[in-house]
Amino acid sequence: MRESMESVFPGGVFPAGCPSRVLLDHVTSKWGVLVLVSLTDGPQRWSDLRRRAEGVSEKMLAQTLRTLEADGLVHRDQKPVMPPRVDYSLTPLGEELAEVMVPLLRWVGRHADDIIGAPAC
């Protein structure tokens, strides 16, 4: 028998004031998902992430990276070189999260054409 969501998340996720709702918003935003999954390929520079997540504005990418860094999911490594170089990578917590997100994106990729009706990318 399948557990109810109330028993799986007693007092959490569903109430509006629950901190898990804030975190859920951070990690399931379009740009949050794309950044986290992109970083599964290893450390990347800001410009690499911007190229991969086509359509993200500079402002949104910067905001997303700051949020994920503040949440402890992304590590920002600023190198003391000229010109300045900053690499982003997943923290252990971010790696754990990305492990469950990759199958979600695989599913989305497999079914987007059938559901949305547009050819897959």
Side-chain angles (χ1 to χ4, degrees):
M1 184 170 171
R2 196 168 153 194
E3 291 181 88
S4 74
M5 287 295 106
E6 289 293 322
S7 65
V8 174
F9 302 111
V13 180
F14 293 105
C18 187
S20 61
R21 294 267 296 260
V22 174
L23 182 58
L24 187 62
D25 183 47
H26 294 175
V27 301
T28 61
S29 71
K30 171 175 49 178
W31 305 121
V33 169
L34 293 175
V35 164
L36 290 164
V37 172
S38 289
L39 290 173
T40 62
D41 287 338
Q44 294 174 49
R45 296 176 77 173
W46 189 89
S47 57
D48 297 328
L49 290 168
R50 180 137 192 254
R51 249 188 314 280
R52 287 189 88 179
E54 290 182 17
V56 67
S57 68
E58 291 183 14
K59 178 183 176 182
M60 280 308 302
L61 180 57
Q63 181 180 327
T64 299
L65 286 166
R66 275 194 305 272
T67 298
L68 295 174
E69 182 184 9
D71 291 340
L73 302 170
V74 169
H75 174 70
R76 182 180 189 271
D77 183 22
Q78 186 167 350
K79 311 282 187 198
V81 296
M82 285 308 272
R85 178 186 173 121
V86 178
D87 291 320
Y88 294 92
S89 60
L90 293 174
T91 64
L93 197 57
E95 289 175 359
E96 183 181 342
L97 174 60
E99 281 180 28
V100 297
M101 294 182 108
V102 168
L104 171 65
L105 284 188
R106 252 189 231 120
W107 184 92
V108 168
R110 276 195 312 267
H111 298 287
D113 185 30
D114 297 333
I115 295 170
I116 304 300
C121 298

